[in-house]
Amino acid sequence: MERHRSLWKAFLSKEKLFLVTVTFIFIIISTIYSFQQSIFSSPGYQEAYPNAGLEFFYSLYRIGTNPFLFILLMLLLPNIIAYDFLNMHQTRSAYMIETRLTRRHYYLEVSIKNILLTFGVITLIQVGLLIFCHVFLIPIHFQSMTYPDGYYIMTQLLCPIEVINLILFITLTSLGYALMSSVILALQTFITNKYVYRCCGVIIGILLVLIPALIQGYLPIPEAAFLIQINNLVALGLEHVRENPFGLSHLALYAICFFIYAIVSYLCFQILLKRRETND
């Protein structure tokens, strides 16, 4: 039990809490700006659409038109645990922990803790953002609506019951970011510069948004490119730029994309472990 507690202490600090707090403050600032620039602040919009509060909350996840939340969360991901893991490896300060747990066990525990902590942090940020929007910007009501054809955003994305839909959305989005955090941690195999690694989440996130659109023309089945687009994990059908590939539902597309990135994370993690066992 003591060795597990010491492993947690290696990654939890006041500086980490400060970092999360500063990130949340920037998210709030960007949210206020987005609200002031959006149709949701227009007079009469809330009266015309009872679910305007939910519409605005979901609109914050649309990477194409409102990238602030996505960029700030992707910037945060490498700095929750992964950066400390890289730094401890390079400074050899984790040698005693590795010796007590064995390197494979140590790496596995760090990976699991990274996923759990990322999921918890992202969930808290989303819930905090939801509360802020409801209290200070636009009231959030749970009233299912029938939207006109072609309407640019809907609130019943995953389930016809608004409350359940919101819970599912926040949970799945947090899981999506947790998986991306796992991928980023495993990519230490290829990104070894600590200063580049701190901000690599944003770079990787932007690439995973753009690459599918760039490579679709070179694939025998162009739609297949969008199975790996990160939007599937962190936006869940909110972009409305195109129809889902192969006519998949949002949940099915999420599940396929999640499975693909889980495999990528596992393979990169195994490469990371093997290289460090071989070279150290």
Side-chain angles (χ1 to χ4, degrees):
M1 182 64 70
E2 183 62 31
R3 67 184 185 180
H4 294 284
R5 189 179 296 113
S6 65
L7 183 57
W8 271 113
K9 288 181 179 178
F11 298 106
L12 299 179
S13 63
K14 293 180 181 178
E15 290 77 12
K16 197 66 61 66
L17 179 61
F18 176 75
L19 177 64
V20 173
T21 302
V22 169
T23 302
F24 184 69
I25 291 173
F26 276 109
I27 288 174
I28 293 301
I29 293 172
S30 67
T31 299
I32 295 172
Y33 173 79
S34 297
F35 178 74
Q36 293 174 343
Q37 300 298 316
S38 71
I39 192 174
F40 301 100
S41 60
S42 302
Y45 190 87
Q46 298 179 38
E47 290 73 22
Y49 294 98
N51 275 6
L54 274 178
E55 289 177 358
F56 173 67
F57 177 74
Y58 288 130
S59 73
L60 296 173
Y61 293 82
R62 299 175 69 196
I63 300 173
T65 57
N66 186 19
F68 307 112
L69 179 62
F70 173 72
I71 289 175
L72 288 168
L73 290 181
M74 290 301 296
L75 182 63
L76 178 63
L77 293 189
N79 299 287
I80 295 177
I81 280 185
Y83 171 80
D84 300 291
F85 182 55
L86 176 62
N87 187 50
M88 289 168 64
H89 169 74
Q90 293 185 350
T91 60
R92 305 294 296 174
S93 58
Y95 178 76
M96 295 301 294
I97 302 177
E98 290 180 19
T99 303
R100 290 199 303 270
L101 295 178
T102 75
R103 176 164 294 175
R104 179 172 292 274
H105 190 184
Y106 167 63
Y107 278 30
L108 181 60
E109 286 213 20
V110 169
S111 179
I112 294 173
K113 284 176 169 55
N114 177 61
I115 292 173
L116 293 176
L117 191 58
T118 301
F119 176 80
V121 168
I122 300 300
T123 300
L124 288 176
I125 287 176
Q126 292 190 88
V127 171
L129 180 60
L130 182 71
I131 293 172
F132 176 83
C133 291
H134 175 72
V135 175
F136 295 102
L137 296 180
I138 179 169
I140 292 175
H141 304 291
F142 298 101
Q143 180 176 341
S144 297
M145 293 176 57
T146 301
Y147 290 87
D149 293 338
Y151 191 68
Y152 74 101
I153 189 170
M154 292 177 60
T155 55
Q156 298 104 323
L157 291 162
L158 306 172
C159 174
I161 303 174
E162 295 288 6
V163 176
I164 297 177
N165 182 88
L166 180 62
I167 294 172
L168 282 173
F169 181 85
I170 291 177
T171 302
L172 293 177
T173 303
S174 297
L175 279 173
Y177 276 111
L179 177 60
M180 290 311 305
S181 181
S182 179
V183 172
I184 290 171
L185 185 145
L187 287 178
Q188 288 184 15
T189 310
F190 312 103
I191 307 172
T192 56
N193 185 295
K194 293 188 294 185
Y195 305 103
V196 173
Y197 190 77
R198 268 198 179 275
C199 59
C200 72
V202 175
I203 300 171
I204 292 170
I206 293 174
L207 288 176
L208 292 177
V209 171
L210 297 178
I211 286 177
L214 296 175
I215 67 172
Q216 62 171 326
Y218 301 95
L219 298 179
I221 307 176
E223 283 187 305
F226 296 102
L227 293 176
I228 64 170
Q229 196 166 44
I230 193 175
N231 309 51
N232 303 327
L233 296 177
V234 300
L236 277 172
L238 290 170
E239 295 295 343
H240 291 289
V241 176
R242 67 186 66 82
E243 295 294 328
N244 287 350
F246 308 111
L248 295 169
S249 67
H250 299 319
L251 280 175
L253 187 57
Y254 175 92
I256 292 171
C257 188
F258 192 96
F259 179 73
I260 292 172
Y261 279 109
I263 292 176
V264 171
S265 176
Y266 175 79
L267 293 176
C268 289
F269 181 80
Q270 294 302 316
I271 294 172
L272 172 67
L273 179 59
K274 185 175 181 180
R275 286 191 176 181
R276 288 191 175 175
E277 286 179 336
T278 303
N279 299 328
D280 293 349

PDB file of all heavy atoms in Angstrom, residues 207-225:
ATOM      1  N   LEU A 207      -3.376  17.880 -35.732  1.00  0.00           N
ATOM      2  CA  LEU A 207      -3.069  16.933 -36.802  1.00  0.00           C
ATOM      3  C   LEU A 207      -4.172  15.896 -36.969  1.00  0.00           C
ATOM      4  O   LEU A 207      -4.546  15.541 -38.097  1.00  0.00           O
ATOM      5  CB  LEU A 207      -1.737  16.238 -36.522  1.00  0.00           C
ATOM      6  CG  LEU A 207      -0.476  17.087 -36.682  1.00  0.00           C
ATOM      7  CD1 LEU A 207       0.749  16.288 -36.266  1.00  0.00           C
ATOM      8  CD2 LEU A 207      -0.327  17.578 -38.113  1.00  0.00           C
ATOM      9  N   LEU A 208      -4.725  15.432 -35.849  1.00  0.00           N
ATOM     10  CA  LEU A 208      -5.767  14.408 -35.917  1.00  0.00           C
ATOM     11  C   LEU A 208      -7.102  14.975 -36.391  1.00  0.00           C
ATOM     12  O   LEU A 208      -7.998  14.219 -36.758  1.00  0.00           O
ATOM     13  CB  LEU A 208      -5.932  13.735 -34.551  1.00  0.00           C
ATOM     14  CG  LEU A 208      -4.748  12.880 -34.106  1.00  0.00           C
ATOM     15  CD1 LEU A 208      -4.983  12.311 -32.717  1.00  0.00           C
ATOM     16  CD2 LEU A 208      -4.491  11.755 -35.100  1.00  0.00           C
ATOM     17  N   VAL A 209      -7.238  16.293 -36.372  1.00  0.00           N
ATOM     18  CA  VAL A 209      -8.412  16.931 -36.973  1.00  0.00           C
ATOM     19  C   VAL A 209      -8.217  17.067 -38.480  1.00  0.00           C
ATOM     20  O   VAL A 209      -9.128  16.811 -39.265  1.00  0.00           O
ATOM     21  CB  VAL A 209      -8.660  18.321 -36.339  1.00  0.00           C
ATOM     22  CG1 VAL A 209      -9.734  19.074 -37.129  1.00  0.00           C
ATOM     23  CG2 VAL A 209      -9.099  18.184 -34.889  1.00  0.00           C
ATOM     24  N   LEU A 210      -6.993  17.450 -38.887  1.00  0.00           N
ATOM     25  CA  LEU A 210      -6.743  17.794 -40.283  1.00  0.00           C
ATOM     26  C   LEU A 210      -6.359  16.607 -41.170  1.00  0.00           C
ATOM     27  O   LEU A 210      -6.757  16.547 -42.342  1.00  0.00           O
ATOM     28  CB  LEU A 210      -5.630  18.855 -40.358  1.00  0.00           C
ATOM     29  CG  LEU A 210      -5.930  20.202 -39.697  1.00  0.00           C
ATOM     30  CD1 LEU A 210      -4.722  21.113 -39.824  1.00  0.00           C
ATOM     31  CD2 LEU A 210      -7.152  20.844 -40.322  1.00  0.00           C
ATOM     32  N   ILE A 211      -5.574  15.677 -40.634  1.00  0.00           N
ATOM     33  CA  ILE A 211      -5.036  14.595 -41.457  1.00  0.00           C
ATOM     34  C   ILE A 211      -6.117  13.790 -42.190  1.00  0.00           C
ATOM     35  O   ILE A 211      -5.979  13.517 -43.397  1.00  0.00           O
ATOM     36  CB  ILE A 211      -4.125  13.667 -40.622  1.00  0.00           C
ATOM     37  CG1 ILE A 211      -2.794  14.369 -40.351  1.00  0.00           C
ATOM     38  CG2 ILE A 211      -3.885  12.341 -41.329  1.00  0.00           C
ATOM     39  CD1 ILE A 211      -1.845  13.576 -39.471  1.00  0.00           C
ATOM     40  N   PRO A 212      -7.223  13.382 -41.526  1.00  0.00           N
ATOM     41  CA  PRO A 212      -8.240  12.631 -42.267  1.00  0.00           C
ATOM     42  C   PRO A 212      -8.763  13.357 -43.492  1.00  0.00           C
ATOM     43  O   PRO A 212      -8.990  12.739 -44.536  1.00  0.00           O
ATOM     44  CB  PRO A 212      -9.344  12.432 -41.216  1.00  0.00           C
ATOM     45  CG  PRO A 212      -8.622  12.451 -39.918  1.00  0.00           C
ATOM     46  CD  PRO A 212      -7.542  13.473 -40.086  1.00  0.00           C
ATOM     47  N   ALA A 213      -8.955  14.676 -43.367  1.00  0.00           N
ATOM     48  CA  ALA A 213      -9.444  15.440 -44.515  1.00  0.00           C
ATOM     49  C   ALA A 213      -8.398  15.516 -45.625  1.00  0.00           C
ATOM     50  O   ALA A 213      -8.742  15.575 -46.812  1.00  0.00           O
ATOM     51  CB  ALA A 213      -9.831  16.847 -44.064  1.00  0.00           C
ATOM     52  N   LEU A 214      -7.111  15.490 -45.250  1.00  0.00           N
ATOM     53  CA  LEU A 214      -6.037  15.605 -46.234  1.00  0.00           C
ATOM     54  C   LEU A 214      -5.757  14.297 -46.959  1.00  0.00           C
ATOM     55  O   LEU A 214      -5.339  14.300 -48.122  1.00  0.00           O
ATOM     56  CB  LEU A 214      -4.754  16.106 -45.550  1.00  0.00           C
ATOM     57  CG  LEU A 214      -4.819  17.512 -44.940  1.00  0.00           C
ATOM     58  CD1 LEU A 214      -3.527  17.832 -44.198  1.00  0.00           C
ATOM     59  CD2 LEU A 214      -5.089  18.556 -46.009  1.00  0.00           C
ATOM     60  N   ILE A 215      -5.972  13.168 -46.276  1.00  0.00           N
ATOM     61  CA  ILE A 215      -5.602  11.887 -46.874  1.00  0.00           C
ATOM     62  C   ILE A 215      -6.771  11.159 -47.529  1.00  0.00           C
ATOM     63  O   ILE A 215      -6.570  10.137 -48.193  1.00  0.00           O
ATOM     64  CB  ILE A 215      -4.973  10.947 -45.825  1.00  0.00           C
ATOM     65  CG1 ILE A 215      -6.012  10.530 -44.775  1.00  0.00           C
ATOM     66  CG2 ILE A 215      -3.764  11.596 -45.176  1.00  0.00           C
ATOM     67  CD1 ILE A 215      -5.519   9.467 -43.816  1.00  0.00           C
ATOM     68  N   GLN A 216      -7.987  11.667 -47.372  1.00  0.00           N
ATOM     69  CA  GLN A 216      -9.145  10.926 -47.877  1.00  0.00           C
ATOM     70  C   GLN A 216      -9.073  10.687 -49.378  1.00  0.00           C
ATOM     71  O   GLN A 216      -9.517   9.646 -49.884  1.00  0.00           O
ATOM     72  CB  GLN A 216     -10.436  11.662 -47.521  1.00  0.00           C
ATOM     73  CG  GLN A 216     -10.550  13.049 -48.125  1.00  0.00           C
ATOM     74  CD  GLN A 216     -11.927  13.652 -47.926  1.00  0.00           C
ATOM     75  OE1 GLN A 216     -12.926  12.946 -47.927  1.00  0.00           O
ATOM     76  NE2 GLN A 216     -11.981  14.959 -47.728  1.00  0.00           N
ATOM     77  N   GLY A 217      -8.508  11.646 -50.107  1.00  0.00           N
ATOM     78  CA  GLY A 217      -8.425  11.503 -51.558  1.00  0.00           C
ATOM     79  C   GLY A 217      -7.457  10.431 -52.016  1.00  0.00           C
ATOM     80  O   GLY A 217      -7.481  10.025 -53.179  1.00  0.00           O
ATOM     81  N   TYR A 218      -6.598   9.967 -51.130  1.00  0.00           N
ATOM     82  CA  TYR A 218      -5.601   8.968 -51.497  1.00  0.00           C
ATOM     83  C   TYR A 218      -6.009   7.555 -51.074  1.00  0.00           C
ATOM     84  O   TYR A 218      -5.243   6.605 -51.299  1.00  0.00           O
ATOM     85  CB  TYR A 218      -4.256   9.311 -50.847  1.00  0.00           C
ATOM     86  CG  TYR A 218      -3.728  10.665 -51.249  1.00  0.00           C
ATOM     87  CD1 TYR A 218      -3.970  11.793 -50.466  1.00  0.00           C
ATOM     88  CD2 TYR A 218      -2.999  10.828 -52.432  1.00  0.00           C
ATOM     89  CE1 TYR A 218      -3.477  13.040 -50.828  1.00  0.00           C
ATOM     90  CE2 TYR A 218      -2.508  12.075 -52.806  1.00  0.00           C
ATOM     91  CZ  TYR A 218      -2.757  13.174 -52.002  1.00  0.00           C
ATOM     92  OH  TYR A 218      -2.287  14.402 -52.375  1.00  0.00           O
ATOM     93  N   LEU A 219      -7.162   7.422 -50.454  1.00  0.00           N
ATOM     94  CA  LEU A 219      -7.607   6.117 -49.985  1.00  0.00           C
ATOM     95  C   LEU A 219      -8.629   5.509 -50.937  1.00  0.00           C
ATOM     96  O   LEU A 219      -9.426   6.238 -51.551  1.00  0.00           O
ATOM     97  CB  LEU A 219      -8.233   6.248 -48.587  1.00  0.00           C
ATOM     98  CG  LEU A 219      -7.313   6.755 -47.471  1.00  0.00           C
ATOM     99  CD1 LEU A 219      -8.091   6.845 -46.166  1.00  0.00           C
ATOM    100  CD2 LEU A 219      -6.095   5.859 -47.311  1.00  0.00           C
ATOM    101  N   PRO A 220      -8.630   4.191 -51.080  1.00  0.00           N
ATOM    102  CA  PRO A 220      -9.636   3.536 -51.938  1.00  0.00           C
ATOM    103  C   PRO A 220     -11.058   3.820 -51.470  1.00  0.00           C
ATOM    104  O   PRO A 220     -11.974   3.952 -52.274  1.00  0.00           O
ATOM    105  CB  PRO A 220      -9.297   2.043 -51.788  1.00  0.00           C
ATOM    106  CG  PRO A 220      -7.883   2.005 -51.325  1.00  0.00           C
ATOM    107  CD  PRO A 220      -7.683   3.239 -50.500  1.00  0.00           C
ATOM    108  N   ILE A 221     -11.226   3.913 -50.139  1.00  0.00           N
ATOM    109  CA  ILE A 221     -12.531   4.265 -49.568  1.00  0.00           C
ATOM    110  C   ILE A 221     -12.345   5.569 -48.795  1.00  0.00           C
ATOM    111  O   ILE A 221     -11.933   5.559 -47.624  1.00  0.00           O
ATOM    112  CB  ILE A 221     -13.052   3.153 -48.634  1.00  0.00           C
ATOM    113  CG1 ILE A 221     -13.051   1.801 -49.353  1.00  0.00           C
ATOM    114  CG2 ILE A 221     -14.453   3.489 -48.136  1.00  0.00           C
ATOM    115  CD1 ILE A 221     -13.458   0.645 -48.469  1.00  0.00           C
ATOM    116  N   PRO A 222     -12.603   6.712 -49.412  1.00  0.00           N
ATOM    117  CA  PRO A 222     -12.322   8.003 -48.766  1.00  0.00           C
ATOM    118  C   PRO A 222     -12.968   8.166 -47.387  1.00  0.00           C
ATOM    119  O   PRO A 222     -12.375   8.768 -46.495  1.00  0.00           O
ATOM    120  CB  PRO A 222     -12.885   9.018 -49.765  1.00  0.00           C
ATOM    121  CG  PRO A 222     -12.843   8.313 -51.077  1.00  0.00           C
ATOM    122  CD  PRO A 222     -13.137   6.879 -50.773  1.00  0.00           C
ATOM    123  N   GLU A 223     -14.167   7.624 -47.219  1.00  0.00           N
ATOM    124  CA  GLU A 223     -14.858   7.792 -45.940  1.00  0.00           C
ATOM    125  C   GLU A 223     -14.095   7.176 -44.779  1.00  0.00           C
ATOM    126  O   GLU A 223     -14.232   7.616 -43.635  1.00  0.00           O
ATOM    127  CB  GLU A 223     -16.252   7.153 -46.013  1.00  0.00           C
ATOM    128  CG  GLU A 223     -17.282   7.973 -46.755  1.00  0.00           C
ATOM    129  CD  GLU A 223     -18.656   7.346 -46.619  1.00  0.00           C
ATOM    130  OE1 GLU A 223     -18.796   6.160 -46.958  1.00  0.00           O
ATOM    131  OE2 GLU A 223     -19.572   8.031 -46.165  1.00  0.00           O
ATOM    132  N   ALA A 224     -13.287   6.163 -45.062  1.00  0.00           N
ATOM    133  CA  ALA A 224     -12.558   5.464 -44.000  1.00  0.00           C
ATOM    134  C   ALA A 224     -11.611   6.402 -43.248  1.00  0.00           C
ATOM    135  O   ALA A 224     -11.307   6.172 -42.071  1.00  0.00           O
ATOM    136  CB  ALA A 224     -11.784   4.289 -44.585  1.00  0.00           C
ATOM    137  N   ALA A 225     -11.154   7.465 -43.898  1.00  0.00           N
ATOM    138  CA  ALA A 225     -10.222   8.393 -43.251  1.00  0.00           C
ATOM    139  C   ALA A 225     -10.837   9.028 -42.009  1.00  0.00           C
ATOM    140  O   ALA A 225     -10.142   9.300 -41.022  1.00  0.00           O
ATOM    141  CB  ALA A 225      -9.803   9.480 -44.243  1.00  0.00           C
TER     142      ALA A 225
END
